[in-house]
């Protein structure tokens, strides 16, 4: 399709003539059929809600079609309206726009829906099984049309995928404000999501799906590499790589797909089980996993060989993780590191496939007999944990990967609780991400080159490397190791070939690093060294972005881990400090009702305004979380808060006074 016709389609929005209904494409990975949760009255409401997007003349025909979609898929996706043009991140100038920031946002949206990037592209799901960009294709069409018309003095308001409209604002206001899944707290259970999503009034935006900031599995490879390296250092303090170590986990999906790649980058033997054949093949084709095995005996022989040769290799077991764990528990193979990345934040609707059922059988049961399916999941989790417990007794270091594995296992009655009711295994945030990274302000900073030109990405990699190398020379002992790991990462980022979709890069950095890198990018754009604007952002899974008691804020021990002030304050603060768009979500990672998280996008165009915005916004975006973590008495965060105040005299953070333990011990 020519650029002109692409622009015309975007500008058209919802077409005046009904487009042809596409066939159901079996080559594409589809979302599982959702639970049939609505009664007759609610189904009518869902169809009525869906028809609001269309003129009267279409209603009769579409009413029947949408009721069929509801019956067949449990949701109304409006498949007929899925555009026929190729969905991918184009050069920013190839989108129709009146304001360049809006074009940047369109680019990010089309990247999130690119079939190479998205998990279930036709159902508008980017990752995590249910992480939606929009609820249906009408919302996509309308949103893109609004963005193509938007001026620098308007803000587009997004309610869970629904574009409420363009509202007058000002140049420095965010161009888009996104909320996803915001519920009255008492209506935030898993079934509430099923019901209100089916009615068409809310959606689960995960973290970077509904906020247009997903950059493919690369986004998580860096964090996973850091986690693996530091997990290895728990077993062997001196380890600079994981040479000879065996890491076992599950999932080759959206984020979990990063595990195989990260294991190789860290020098380990990574063995990852994936029950969905299509997902395993996709990662193999992309070069993210080296070898595929379907037979457990052949697999264990391969592992033994890899151990003997101390290979850095990634191997997929195409099958159920429970079968793999049980096989390893019976064998003499020593597993050093273990985790799990099934989508247990979504246990009853296809996030976790129970052992003993084929992938297809499980999908049928989810739709037809959800209660029976639940029983299978619970039994499977009990067996899952039993095998892990056996290997842990032999010395394996196991951690929860923020996917609600321990939470759901405990709810299923598996043996994961200690005498005090706590979990017997740490979450990766408690042991690694929290105290080593977040408390010092290090988090998953990222950027996207809107030219979509690999040359621009290469130039930005070099700029970031130069900035970090300079910082490393004068860095304090507390953060030197982190800077060294991040410097190694960016040096080899290009050769590790991690780009899927837009030309993007992830690089863990602290407040100072993020600001210095962003300043250098803005200068490079101004001088024409980089050919087009750059979009900055981050995963919500960051220092200040997320309040999640079993994950990002799991190492907050002052009782405030169940509050969500930090995440809410964060996007409010970002929005008046110059963010191009902001988003706040209920659910993401660990599940609906379990977490509040937010993020931003900031487009750099080389201007002075951008310089002002990036300095002020990025500083707040990290130091909000440092201040909160330091108030919770986290040692690293107190250190970072003091350092930040020393560097900026207008920053005044309330620091905690330490209380002597004896005073408290003598009280009760
Ligand atoms: N990677 C990270 O750094 C990170 C951080 C925080 C949380 N998480 C969590 O990890 C989970 C996975 O994320 P994702 O985006 O990859 O989700 P996803 O749904 O795309 O992938 C999960 C994969 O697990 C597979 N699977 C499910 N049950 C299985 C089983 N019993 N045996 C083998 N494979 C099975 C699925 O087929 C799927 O491909 C989510 O809950 C996410 O929130 C990941």
């Amino acid at each position: 399709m020519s650029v002109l016709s692409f622009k015309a389609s975007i500008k058209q929005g919802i077409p005046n003539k009904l487009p042809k209904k596409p066939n159901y494409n079996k080559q594409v990975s589809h979302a599982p059929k959702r639970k049939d949760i609505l009664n007759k009255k609610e189904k009518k409401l869902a169809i009525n809600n869906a028809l609001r997007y269309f003129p009267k003349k279409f209603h009769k025909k579409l009413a029947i079609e949408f009721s069929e979609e509801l019956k067949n898929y449990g949701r109304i996706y409006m498949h007929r309206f899925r555009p026929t043009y190729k969905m991918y991140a184009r050069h920013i100038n190839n989108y129709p726009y009146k304001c360049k920031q809006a074009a940047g946002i369109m680019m990010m949206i089309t990247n999130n829906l690119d079939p190479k990037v998205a998990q279930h592209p036709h159902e508008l799901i980017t990752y995590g099984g249910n992480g939606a960009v929009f609820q249906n294709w009408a919302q996509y069409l309308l949103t893109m049309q609004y963005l193509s018309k938007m001026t620098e003095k308007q803000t587009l308001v997004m309610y869970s995928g629904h574009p409420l409209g363009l509202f007058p604002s000002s140049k420095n206001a965010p161009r888009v404000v996104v909320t996803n899944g915001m519920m009255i707290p008492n209506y935030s259970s898993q079934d509430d999501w099923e019901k209100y999503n089916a009615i068409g009034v809310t959606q689960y935006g995960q973290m970077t799906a509904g906020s247009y900031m997903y950059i493919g599995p690369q986004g998580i490879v860096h964090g996973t590499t850091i986690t693996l390296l530091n997990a290895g250092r728990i077993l062997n303090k001196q380890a600079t790589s994981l040479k000879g170590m065996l890491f076992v986990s599950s999932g080759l999906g959206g984020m979990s797909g990063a595990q195989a790649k990260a294991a190789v980058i860290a020098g380990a033997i990574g063995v990852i089980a994936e029950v969905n054949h299509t997902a395993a093949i996709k990662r193999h084709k992309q070069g993210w996993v080296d070898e595929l095995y379907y037979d457990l005996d052949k697999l264990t022989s391969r592992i033994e060989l890899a151990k003997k040769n101390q290979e850095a290799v990634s191997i997929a077991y195409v099958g159920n993780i429970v079968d793999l764990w049980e096989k390893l528990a019976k064998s003499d193979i020593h597993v050093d590191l273990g985790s799990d990345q099934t989508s247990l934040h979504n246990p009853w609707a296809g996030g976790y496939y129970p052992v003993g059922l084929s992938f297809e059988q499980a999908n049928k049961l989810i739709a037809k007999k959800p209660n029976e399916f639940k029983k299978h999941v619970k039994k499977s989790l009990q067996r899952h944990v039993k095998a892990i417990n056996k290997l842990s007794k032999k010395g394996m270091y196991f951690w929860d990967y923020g996917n609600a594995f321990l939470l759901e296992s405990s709810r299923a009655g598996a043996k994961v609780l200690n005498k005090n009711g706590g979990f017997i295994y740490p979450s990766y945030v408690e042991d690694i991400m929290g105290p080593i990274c977040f408390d010092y302000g290090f988090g998953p900073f990222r950027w996207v080159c809107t030219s979509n030109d690999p040359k621009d990405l290469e130039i930005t990699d070099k700029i970031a490397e130069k900035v970090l190398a300079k910082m490393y020379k004068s860095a304090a002992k507390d953060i030197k190791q982190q800077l060294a790991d991040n410097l190694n990462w960016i040096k080899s980022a290009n050769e590790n070939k991690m780009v899927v979709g837009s030309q993007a890069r992830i690089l863990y950095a602290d407040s100072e690093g993020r600001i210095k890198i962003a300043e250098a990018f803005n200068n490079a754009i101004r001088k024409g060294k980089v050919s087009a604007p750059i979009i900055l952002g981050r995963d919500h899974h960051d220092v200040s972005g997320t309040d999640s008691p079993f994950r990002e804020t799991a190492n907050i021990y002052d009782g405030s881990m169940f509050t969500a002030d930090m995440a809410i304050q964060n996007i409010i603060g970002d929005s008046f400090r110059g963010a191009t768009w902001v988003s706040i979500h209920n659910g993401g990672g660990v599940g609906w009702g379990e977490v509040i998280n937010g993020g931003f996008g900031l487009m750099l165009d080389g201007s002075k305004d951008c310089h002002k915005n990036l300095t002020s916004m990025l500083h707040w975006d990290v130091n909000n979380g440092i201040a909160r973590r330091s108030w919770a008495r986290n040692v690293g965060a107190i250190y970072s808060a003091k350092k930040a105040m020393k560097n900026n005299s207008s920053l005044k953070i309330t620091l905690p006074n330490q209380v002597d333990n004896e005073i408290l011990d003598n009280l009760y």
Side-chain angles (χ1 to χ4, degrees):
M1 183 183 260
S2 72
V3 175
L4 266 183
S5 11
F6 171 69
K7 286 185 179 178
S9 314
I10 298 278
K11 284 201 280 215
Q12 173 187 233
I14 290 175
N16 304 327
K17 255 174 71 186
L18 274 186
K20 211 172 137 233
K21 199 173 156 201
N23 292 329
Y24 188 81
N25 184 345
K26 286 196 177 152
Q27 306 303 318
V28 176
S29 173
H30 288 282
K33 183 181 171 189
R34 308 295 184 191
K35 198 154 124 178
D36 182 17
I37 196 166
L38 304 183
N39 61 32
K40 278 187 184 158
K41 201 173 150 202
E42 289 162 345
K43 281 180 181 157
K44 268 190 196 168
L45 180 61
I47 293 162
N48 195 357
N49 284 349
L51 291 173
R52 299 185 263 197
Y53 289 102
F54 304 95
K56 249 187 167 24
K57 59 179 179 183
F58 297 158
H59 285 181
K60 222 169 174 181
K61 188 161 186 176
L62 291 182
I64 296 167
E65 200 166 304
F66 291 168
S67 102
E68 271 168 16
E69 285 199 15
L70 202 53
K71 190 168 135 223
N72 293 338
Y73 316 125
R75 297 289 186 273
I76 301 171
Y77 297 113
M78 309 181 182
H79 282 299
R80 182 190 282 276
F81 294 92
R82 180 160 45 81
T84 49
Y85 51 76
K86 228 174 141 198
M87 192 69 81
Y88 68 99
R90 293 151 200 257
H91 189 292
I92 189 167
N93 291 344
N94 290 348
Y95 295 86
Y97 66 85
K98 286 190 176 149
C99 133
K100 204 140 189 173
Q101 292 179 326
I105 298 170
M106 282 190 256
M107 192 202 100
M108 299 295 279
I109 290 176
T110 45
N111 186 59
N112 269 24
L113 293 171
D114 177 346
K116 281 205 297 305
V117 174
Q119 186 184 17
H120 307 306
H122 292 184
E123 287 80 25
L124 304 109
I125 301 293
T126 302
Y127 71 96
N130 53 1
V133 193
F134 299 96
Q135 298 175 58
N136 57 56
W137 287 103
Q139 294 179 342
Y140 166 83
L141 294 176
L142 257 184
T143 302
M144 295 297 274
Q145 187 187 37
Y146 275 132
L147 287 167
S148 71
K149 288 184 193 167
M150 157 186 275
T151 70
E152 276 186 342
K153 290 187 179 158
Q154 287 173 309
T155 292
L156 176 63
V157 176
M158 299 296 300
Y159 280 18
S160 287
H162 169 67
L164 193 72
L166 285 175
F167 291 77
S169 62
S170 64
K171 189 164 182 251
N172 216 40
R175 294 281 70 81
V176 181
V177 174
V178 177
T179 52
N180 275 311
M182 286 293 123
M183 300 298 286
I184 302 299
N186 273 346
Y187 297 82
S188 214
S189 71
Q190 188 70 27
D191 269 355
D192 288 321
W193 167 70
E194 293 277 5
K195 181 171 162 179
Y196 295 104
N197 187 224
I199 287 176
V201 291
T202 192
Q203 74 174 4
Y204 189 81
Q206 272 282 10
M207 291 193 159
T208 50
S211 61
Y212 328 138
M213 196 39 84
Y214 191 68
I215 56 166
Q218 177 198 175
I220 223 75
V221 179
H222 189 18
T224 311
T225 309
I226 290 175
T227 305
L228 287 181
L229 282 171
N230 286 299
R233 285 177 193 138
I234 288 173
L235 297 179
N236 171 11
K237 264 195 173 156
Q238 263 71 49
T240 49
S241 91
L242 302 185
K243 196 168 176 193
M245 284 195 187
L246 172 62
F247 164 59
V248 175
S249 186
S250 59
L252 288 171
M255 286 202 278
S256 49
Q259 296 176 105
K261 188 96 183 167
V264 175
I265 294 173
I269 303 153
V271 179
I272 316 293
E274 171 53 65
V275 76
N276 180 350
H277 182 250
T278 317
I281 300 275
K282 185 171 166 179
R283 291 287 173 239
H284 186 240
K285 273 194 186 151
Q286 285 171 348
W288 287 69
V289 63
D290 300 325
E291 299 170 20
L292 299 180
Y293 279 79
Y294 293 80
D295 180 281
L296 280 170
D297 288 326
K298 287 185 183 152
L299 174 71
T300 45
S301 311
R302 177 68 185 100
I303 295 173
E304 276 162 352
L305 182 71
K307 282 201 119 188
K308 202 171 131 219
N309 296 335
Q310 300 204 320
E311 291 174 58
V313 64
S314 57
I315 306 168
Y317 168 57
V318 189
N320 200 295
I321 181 65
V322 180
D323 288 325
L324 174 61
W325 280 127
E326 287 180 346
K327 178 82 180 172
L328 290 168
K330 272 191 217 139
S331 78
D332 291 328
I333 296 175
H334 179 72
V335 183
D336 302 277
L337 304 170
S339 194
D340 184 86
Q341 275 202 45
T342 54
S343 276
L344 268 164
H345 66 271
N346 176 30
W348 318 126
Y352 180 87
Y353 286 87
V355 65
L357 295 177
S358 72
F359 185 61
E360 292 72 23
Q361 283 170 329
N363 279 336
K364 271 191 195 145
L365 220 56
I366 293 171
K368 292 203 172 127
K369 295 182 180 166
N371 284 335
E372 201 178 304
F373 181 75
K374 251 187 189 183
K375 282 185 199 152
H376 278 279
V377 169
K378 287 185 179 172
K379 266 204 188 132
S380 182
L381 281 171
Q382 287 167 10
R383 275 173 63 179
H384 199 149
V385 166
K386 198 171 165 196
I388 286 170
N389 286 353
K390 199 168 163 199
L391 285 158
S392 298
K393 281 205 182 103
K394 292 194 213 166
M396 174 175 79
Y397 175 73
F398 182 87
W399 70 93
D400 180 292
Y401 218 130
N403 58 340
F405 175 77
L406 291 175
L407 184 68
E408 289 305 336
S409 297
S410 68
R411 285 173 180 165
K415 297 198 168 137
V416 285
L417 296 177
N418 60 28
K419 279 184 204 140
N420 304 324
F423 294 127
I424 54 176
Y425 299 111
S427 91
Y428 73 121
V429 173
E430 270 180 293
D431 267 23
I432 299 167
M433 272 297 156
I436 298 176
C437 296
F438 294 164
D439 286 353
Y440 289 92
F442 285 88
F445 180 61
R446 60 186 55 183
W447 64 91
V448 182
C449 300
T450 65
S451 61
N452 216 22
D453 183 348
K455 275 191 228 129
D456 272 349
L457 186 61
E458 225 175 285
I459 294 167
T460 56
D461 282 349
K462 288 271 174 293
I463 295 175
E465 183 188 327
K466 209 168 147 193
V467 171
L468 285 195
K470 197 167 167 205
M471 282 176 65
Y472 178 77
K473 279 190 193 150
S474 56
K477 206 175 110 235
D478 305 66
I479 58 166
K480 208 143 186 146
Q481 178 66 61
Q482 299 223 48
L483 282 172
D485 285 347
N486 298 337
L487 196 51
N488 282 340
W489 166 265
I490 195 69
K491 273 186 192 162
S492 50
N494 194 21
E495 79 201 39
N496 282 328
K497 295 194 173 58
M498 283 171 303
V499 170
V500 178
S502 60
Q503 293 297 317
R505 184 66 72 223
I506 169 115
L507 174 62
Y508 267 62
D510 62 357
S511 165
E512 191 187 338
R514 297 182 205 206
I515 293 170
K516 285 190 168 158
I517 292 169
E519 277 173 349
F521 286 172
N522 203 40
N523 289 341
I525 298 167
R526 193 176 54 249
K527 290 179 189 155
K529 288 185 183 161
V530 172
S531 74
I534 291 173
I535 289 172
L536 303 180
R538 58 165 173 74
D539 193 356
H540 294 191
H541 171 64
D542 195 10
V543 183
S544 324
T546 296
D547 277 298
S548 179
F550 301 106
R551 215 169 82 172
E552 285 78 354
T553 39
N555 75 322
I556 299 278
Y557 303 108
D558 70 348
S560 72
M561 72 203 297
F562 297 102
T563 64
D565 297 298
M566 177 177 74
I568 301 286
Q569 286 281 358
N570 212 63
I571 71 129
I572 295 174
D574 284 353
S575 67
F576 64 77
R577 288 181 174 88
T580 309
W581 73 100
V582 290
S583 59
I584 186 85
H585 300 190
N586 168 15
V590 285
W592 180 258
E594 309 280 1
V595 47
I596 299 290
N597 58 91
F600 72 89
L602 175 64
M603 193 163 108
L604 303 177
D605 60 9
S607 66
K608 275 192 188 150
D609 278 352
C610 276
H611 181 86
K612 211 171 71 201
N613 288 345
L614 76 86
T615 320
S616 158
M617 204 218 81
L618 293 175
H619 185 265
W620 156 255
D621 191 64
V622 177
N623 282 298
N624 169 36
I626 288 194
R628 187 271 176 106
R629 287 166 190 276
S630 109
W631 183 238
R633 308 182 191 91
N634 291 9
V635 180
I638 295 175
Y639 162 88
S640 307
K642 286 181 180 164
K643 188 174 133 196
M645 286 193 277
K646 222 167 121 191
N647 290 341
N648 187 333
S649 60
S650 35
L651 178 68
K652 308 280 177 212
I653 294 173
T654 315
L655 294 174
N657 290 299
Q658 300 289 351
V659 180
D660 290 338
N661 281 343
E662 301 135 45
I663 295 180
L664 300 173
D665 291 346
N666 292 338
L667 280 180
Y668 299 100

